Amino acid sequence: MDIYASTLSPALDIFVGCYMLVVAVLSIIGNVLVIVMAFKRSSRIKPPELLSVNLAVTDLGAAVTMYPLAMASAWSHHWLGGDATCNYYALAGFFFGVASMMNLTILAIVRFIVSLNLQSTKEKISWKKVKMLCVWIWLWALIWALLPLLGWGRYGPEPFGLSCSIAWGQMKQEGFSFIISMFSANFVIPSVIIICCYFGITIKLYFIFKKSINPTQVPNIVKVHRRMMIIAVLISVGFIGCWVPYSLVSLWSIFHDSSTIPPEVSLLPCMFAKSSTVYNPMIYYIFSQSFKREVKQLQGLCLNFKWCHVANTINDNTIYMVSADIRPKMAARSELME
C-alpha cells in the first residue's frame, strides 16, 4: 500500500490545491505588508513591537516553505518526494506552529507587563530583552521540531495522504510521552498563560474605566491599550481556534483507531489549521486604522497628501498590539509642520 497516495477523490484533491493556493497568496501578501509597514516606521518602532514582526515572519515562513509543496502534491493526487519531503514538511509545520504559539504567549506576557503601569513613560521591555525573547522562541521551536528526527516522536503522512505531520496514530505506546509533553508544553500551558494575561489586562482596564466618572475623562493611552488588547485577543483566539479541531482529531487518533476517521473528516481540521497564517494581517487591517491607512497609502489610494500626513500622527500609530506611542499634542503638531 502506497502511504503517500491520496485517499481523496480527484475533484477534492483539486479543490484542496486551489484552497492552499488562496491561503498561500493571502498569507504571503498580508504578512509581507505587515513586515513592510514595520520597516517603514522602523524609526518609531518600540522594542515590544518586534515580537509582532516576529509573528508575521513565522506565518510568512510557513506559507513560503510549506504551501507550494502541498499545492503541487494535491494537484498530482500523490505526495511528492516521499519520505524526505514528508519529514521536511512535517518539521517545518511543527517548527513554525510552535514558534507562532510561543510568540503569542510572549506577546500576552509582555502586554500584561506593559499594562501594569499605563501612565509610565519608561520602557518596561528593552531592545536587548526583546531580541533575547525572539531568539528563545526560535530555539524552543527548533528543539521541539528536531526531537522526532532524533528518536523521540515520529513524523509521517496524514490519513488523507496529502500532508505530513506528527504521526499521531503510530505513537500509541512508544511515543505517548512525547505527545503528552509536546501537547502540554506547546498548547495547553501557553493557552492558559494567554487567557490569564488577557483576563488580567481586562480586569485592570475595567477598574480604570470604572474610576472615571465621565468616559471622556479616561486617559487616551488607556483607550489605545484597550483597542490594542482587542486586536491581540482576536489574533490569539484566531490562532488557538484554528488549531483546536486539529488537536482534538489528533488526540482521538492516539486513543482510538485512526482508521475509523474518514479521510474527508481528517482533512477539514488540517486545512482549517493552515488558514491560521492568514488571519493576523486581516485583523490588523480591520481593527487598526493606522495599518489600513498605510496600506492604502502604499497602494496609491491615498490621494490627499495632507490627509496622509495627518494619518501618520494619530494616536493609533502602532499596529502591533503591544505598546502605545502616545505623544503630546505640541510634539504631534511640530512633526506635522515638518
Side-chain angles (χ1 to χ4, degrees), residues 35-54:
I35 297 172
V36 169
M37 294 304 133
F39 179 78
K40 284 182 60 179
R41 57 189 298 277
S42 58
S43 60
R44 293 178 293 151
I45 194 172
K46 290 192 174 184
E49 297 179 32
L50 183 61
L51 291 168
S52 293
V53 180
N54 196 49

Side-chain angles (χ1 to χ4, degrees), residues 54-81:
N54 196 49
L55 182 61
V57 172
T58 61
D59 290 340
L60 181 62
V64 171
T65 61
M66 298 172 58
Y67 297 168
L69 180 58
M71 285 185 290
S73 297
W75 288 331
S76 300
H77 313 297
H78 189 280
W79 181 257
L80 301 177

Side-chain angles (χ1 to χ4, degrees), residues 82-119:
D83 293 337
T85 58
C86 183
N87 286 329
Y88 155 78
Y89 186 90
L91 184 146
F94 193 24
F95 173 68
F96 287 113
V98 171
S100 296
M101 190 64 183
M102 290 300 106
N103 212 119
L104 289 172
T105 305
I106 298 299
L107 273 172
I109 296 173
V110 170
R111 280 288 299 120
F112 180 75
I113 294 174
V114 171
S115 69
L116 292 178
N117 189 358
L118 300 182
Q119 301 297 335

Side-chain angles (χ1 to χ4, degrees), residues 258-297:
S258 58
S259 62
T260 59
I261 304 177
E264 294 79 8
V265 175
S266 63
L267 169 70
L268 292 177
C270 185
M271 297 296 101
F272 191 45
K274 286 180 171 57
S275 68
S276 63
T277 58
V278 177
Y279 296 143
N280 296 358
M282 293 177 60
I283 292 173
Y284 288 143
Y285 189 82
I286 295 173
F287 291 94
S288 175
Q289 294 301 319
S290 62
F291 182 64
K292 183 184 296 185
R293 289 188 179 98
E294 289 179 355
V295 170
K296 289 183 178 180
Q297 182 181 0

